[in-house]
Amino acid sequence: TCIVFPRRIQILHIMYHAVSFIGTAGVAAVAVLSLLPDANAFAPNARPAFSSRPTTAVPLYSELERVKSAGGGTGVAFPVGDFHLFDPEAEGKLQGTGSLSQRIQAGADFVLPPTFLDGAYLADGGGINGAAGEESSPPEGAVAMDAQHWLEHLDDNLPVNFAKPNAPAMATLLARQRIITPDAPGDIQHIILRLPEGMHYVEGQSLSVIPPGTDPANGRPQKPRLYSIASTRYGDALDGNTVSLCVRRAEYYDPNSGVADPTKKGVCSNFLCDAAPGTAMSVAGPVGKTMLLPKDPNADVIMIATGTGIAPFRAFLHRLFMENTVARHMFGGTAWLVLGVPTSGGLLYKEEIDAMMQNAGPGQLKVDYAISREMTNPFDGGKLYVQHVMQQNAQELFQRLDNGASCYFCGLKGMMPPILDTLEQVAVAQGLDWNAKLKEWKSNHQWHVEVY
């Protein structure tokens, strides 16, 4: 069990681990790994919630820095954890449990005082049940766990349209990296942007990027392009001030010559995939309310993605299995990812997913890949697509949905017709009214679609 106090952001053990890689000056330039590492780079270092170790200064490197570095994987150094989002003394008391500067100096060796649950250490001066000093130690059987928390209030105050397309904000490209192998078709990049102060988002939302220049067809400024956000609210730098995107470079190849036609290339995707670190760009948003994680921490989360449609699900999975948030500690359901790509070299974020499999509890994370050019489906021997994986697991899929699971779809719009046709066939074979069943799931807010 993880204890959560009934009042706003009052968490039993609320040390924000990211400070373990932030220096006392508040800024630390960290060299991000040039390639995504193996799963071991993500595995958190286990240490007890309570310790009698003395508080001493420690090296700035930490398990969360390894997570951040691997999540970026861009090969470009950029500052992290700069405290631009809050004043440590005014807002960094972390429920009154001590000065944040002490935590920074001690890093991973910081130890909460033995009486941290006494009323004097709570934000409103109350104990667990509201009376000062009523409970000074965790109840029997409870497990005290660390949790970063300072952006958790966004769940109750959903950030929408910090900036609008007609009045955009300025973001800065920190780094980018191709994340598929050279033999995989196309070019897909992980892109990290520094957002302006105060611009926040939550997992499942989208961000608009407005490329520079004008549209040659009408001479007007370029229109915004919407991208699903691929990072949690804390960002890959874990400072709450960055956002990550998963972008496929849009190119058109002449079917006869096989040569790319530069006049038909995607304006925004090519701008992002060619931009140098330090490039400023206009952004708008965030937007989106339909792809948010379920409020019930015990609900199953089913994610069906093709290609870069994995973006919001990377954010989901980092929140549920990588970061030290209450959401991760409290998650009691099963997350099930079905990802479709053409070749194994195009499996996006596989190293991260492998690490999440290690972090997840038994039965908490299930991953199925549909690699169309390398796998065949058992129904007609043709290529394996995500709808075939769903058809193979139809009984489990329907059962989880009937038990309250939320199902999410993200990718090219062409993915949905064959998925719906396949599920309708399954429903009919089970003697179900497919239209009625789909209507039921939609009315219960269990069916979420974001295609482009």
Side-chain angles (χ1 to χ4, degrees):
T1 3
C2 175
I3 300 176
V4 180
F5 293 120
R7 292 173 296 280
R8 180 174 176 266
I9 62 168
Q10 292 180 337
I11 302 165
L12 173 63
H13 188 40
I14 33 60
M15 176 179 177
Y16 172 40
H17 259 307
V19 300
S20 62
F21 63 83
I22 303 169
T24 53
V27 180
V30 179
V32 183
L33 302 180
S34 59
L35 293 174
L36 290 173
D38 60 25
N40 291 331
F42 289 85
N45 292 330
R47 72 182 178 88
F50 300 96
S51 172
S52 58
R53 293 176 299 174
T55 299
T56 57
V58 296
L60 300 182
Y61 203 71
S62 74
E63 63 267 24
L64 280 183
E65 183 176 336
R66 288 186 286 115
V67 173
K68 176 205 68 62
S69 299
T74 58
V76 178
F78 55 83
V80 299
D82 53 14
F83 287 157
H84 286 169
L85 296 182
F86 60 92
D87 175 70
E89 289 305 314
E91 302 174 53
K93 295 288 187 179
L94 299 182
Q95 284 71 45
T97 57
S99 170
L100 189 60
S101 60
Q102 295 174 356
R103 297 173 182 272
I104 297 168
Q105 184 177 5
D109 274 356
F110 179 83
V111 179
L112 284 168
T115 56
F116 79 98
L117 275 180
D118 285 347
Y121 290 103
L122 293 180
D124 60 359
I128 290 180
N129 298 316
E134 187 169 323
E135 184 104 31
S136 60
S137 62
E140 183 178 355
V143 178
M145 309 185 82
D146 296 345
Q148 62 198 63
H149 78 290
W150 94 95
L151 292 178
E152 298 304 295
H153 68 279
L154 297 178
D155 290 325
D156 298 321
N157 301 279
L158 190 67
V160 177
N161 286 327
F162 174 89
K164 296 185 178 181
N166 59 356
M170 297 304 295
T172 304
L173 189 141
L174 294 180
R176 60 179 176 83
Q177 175 68 37
R178 178 185 170 98
I179 54 174
I180 56 176
T181 61
D183 59 340
D187 179 18
I188 298 178
Q189 298 195 22
H190 184 76
I191 295 172
I192 303 175
L193 305 178
R194 174 73 70 191
L195 295 175
E197 183 174 349
M199 188 173 189
H200 300 300
Y201 58 90
V202 300
E203 302 75 21
Q205 290 191 300
S206 299
L207 183 81
S208 289
V209 177
I210 306 170
T214 57
D215 186 338
N218 54 32
R220 297 176 181 175
Q222 292 285 353
K223 294 181 179 180
R225 272 69 166 184
L226 198 63
Y227 293 94
S228 299
I229 293 174
S231 52
T232 74
R233 66 194 70 188
Y234 295 99
D236 286 341
L238 294 175
D239 66 355
N241 202 23
T242 65
V243 66
S244 296
L245 308 176
C246 182
V247 178
R248 172 182 287 278
R249 186 191 296 271
E251 298 176 297
Y252 174 79
Y253 288 85
D254 184 277
N256 298 318
S257 65
V259 178
D261 184 347
T263 65
K264 297 181 180 180
K265 68 180 183 180
V267 174
C268 194
S269 65
N270 279 268
F271 165 67
L272 287 170
C273 291
D274 291 333
T279 300
M281 61 190 70
S282 299
V283 297
V287 296
K289 299 180 181 180
T290 62
M291 291 286 286
L292 307 182
L293 279 166
K295 292 183 179 180
D296 181 2
N298 293 315
D300 292 341
V301 178
I302 303 170
M303 301 157 284
I304 316 298
T306 58
T308 57
I310 195 177
F313 306 144
R314 177 184 185 262
F316 286 4
L317 293 172
H318 266 265
R319 183 157 176 81
L320 296 178
F321 298 110
M322 297 302 294
E323 294 184 347
N324 273 328
T325 59
V326 173
R328 173 184 174 185
H329 295 319
M330 297 297 290
F331 181 59
T334 293
W336 180 8
L337 172 67
V338 179
L339 173 62
V341 295
T343 66
S344 55
L347 286 173
L348 300 168
Y349 307 112
K350 185 178 185 300
E351 294 84 354
E352 297 182 28
I353 295 171
D354 289 343
M356 293 168 188
M357 293 291 289
Q358 295 181 15
N359 286 349
Q364 275 204 305
L365 178 57
K366 177 179 178 179
V367 179
D368 288 303
Y369 295 123
I371 307 176
S372 60
R373 299 183 188 177
E374 301 174 13
M375 297 179 175
T376 57
N377 74 72
F379 304 106
D380 60 15
K383 294 180 178 180
L384 181 71
Y385 294 105
V386 292
Q387 64 266 24
H388 297 125
V389 176
M390 299 176 72
Q391 187 174 359
Q392 285 178 281
N393 297 274
Q395 183 174 355
E396 179 183 357
L397 176 68
F398 277 59
Q399 184 178 24
R400 289 188 183 276
L401 281 165
D402 284 339
N403 289 336
S406 286
C407 194
Y408 301 82
F409 301 85
C410 190
L412 294 174
K413 61 183 179 181
M415 70 184 284
M416 291 309 297
I419 287 176
L420 293 173
D421 289 344
T422 298
L423 293 182
E424 182 175 9
Q425 294 173 23
V426 170
V428 170
Q430 295 182 5
L432 300 174
D433 183 334
W434 167 243
N435 291 327
K437 179 58 69 176
L438 182 59
K439 183 179 180 180
E440 173 190 333
W441 292 336
K442 288 182 177 179
S443 64
N444 291 337
H445 307 288
Q446 296 175 255
W447 194 264
H448 313 267
V449 179
E450 183 173 272
V451 293
Y452 39 87

